[in-house]
Amino acid sequence: MKKLNKFIACVIALMFLAISLLRAQPRVMVYNGKISLKSGTLAPVEKDFAGSADSLDKNLKIHPNDTTSLFFRALIYLQFNSFVMNPDPGSSQATNKLLLAKSMADRADSLNMKNFYLKVLQAQLCSELVTRNAPIETWRFNEKQMAERRKKHDYYKELANHYYDIAALIDKNNAYAYHRLKINE
């Protein structure tokens, strides 16, 4: 009887371990054309994803071509450096993390990652970079910096619209949402 109880306890422990390992990757959702982390709360908290971010960073050091890790790490950078989470358009720290996320997403794309969510992620990253380089708060920047920001703004605007067009072609049921998100300014 004791052996049976120990066996049942081991099976239950293994089941809990398996469930926790299966949920190791953050859950993702696309709603109204925007990709985000699914956290079970209205607004995800960065510290809740710190463990995932650390394990993804460690995995990327060992396996730099792991497209899944590149995708999820880029998504975490996007989630917590978006304009909603960090509304200062002149924040170089947030902009640098978004640029890092864009390079990770582009690397995953160049490694032939075939995931529809990647196109939505790339579009949203470029859209965030458009916002970060918007010609606002001109008092902070001199003429040369403003010209450089305008050039980046136009470049990321073209890229964002391109990726939204691709997403609309792939996900025809939600094409209106992607066309609505295109930048027309």
Side-chain angles (χ1 to χ4, degrees):
M1 190 66 159
K2 287 184 181 182
K3 287 184 180 181
L4 181 63
N5 287 343
K6 285 183 181 180
F7 177 73
I8 291 172
C10 287
V11 169
I12 291 172
L14 287 174
M15 285 176 36
F16 280 117
L17 178 65
I19 289 170
S20 67
L21 289 176
L22 288 174
R23 301 188 87 202
Q25 290 181 344
R27 294 176 295 163
V28 177
M29 68 178 208
V30 173
Y31 184 72
N32 284 336
K34 292 191 171 199
I35 192 167
S36 65
L37 295 168
K38 208 174 184 181
S39 68
T41 62
L42 289 175
V45 180
E46 191 168 7
K47 69 178 181 174
D48 293 346
F49 292 93
S52 294
D54 288 343
S55 68
L56 288 168
D57 288 338
K58 287 177 187 175
N59 191 40
L60 285 170
K61 284 182 182 177
I62 298 168
H63 308 287
N65 293 337
D66 181 6
T67 56
T68 304
S69 294
L70 288 166
F71 170 79
F72 281 112
R73 188 60 180 116
L75 180 59
I76 290 172
Y77 275 132
L78 170 67
Q79 184 73 49
F80 299 110
N81 293 288
S82 67
F83 199 70
V84 172
M85 298 296 271
N86 189 349
D88 179 14
S91 171
S92 61
Q93 182 181 9
T95 303
N96 290 339
K97 288 183 179 177
L98 288 170
L99 287 170
L100 179 60
K102 183 182 176 328
S103 70
M104 288 178 164
D106 290 345
R107 178 141 174 84
D109 192 26
S110 71
L111 292 168
N112 295 321
M113 182 177 185
K114 303 291 184 208
N115 188 335
F116 161 70
Y117 288 155
L118 179 62
K119 296 303 177 194
V120 178
L121 175 66
Q122 288 176 303
Q124 199 167 335
L125 281 166
C126 290
S127 180
E128 286 291 333
L129 287 166
V130 167
T131 305
R132 292 284 171 193
N133 290 293
I136 54 178
E137 295 187 355
T138 55
W139 58 270
R140 280 188 176 186
F141 308 104
N142 61 33
E143 287 182 33
K144 182 180 176 185
Q145 290 171 324
M146 284 304 294
E148 186 178 308
R149 287 175 65 81
R150 172 51 91 181
K151 187 176 177 183
K152 288 178 184 178
H153 177 272
D154 293 341
Y155 172 74
Y156 290 121
K157 177 178 134 183
E158 292 290 321
L159 271 179
N161 289 341
H162 171 73
Y163 288 127
Y164 280 129
D165 285 338
I166 292 172
L169 287 173
I170 296 171
D171 186 14
K172 291 183 169 105
N173 292 335
N174 296 311
Y176 175 75
Y178 302 114
H179 286 295
R180 186 181 51 81
L181 289 171
K182 287 178 72 170
I183 303 161
N184 297 319
E185 54 186 69

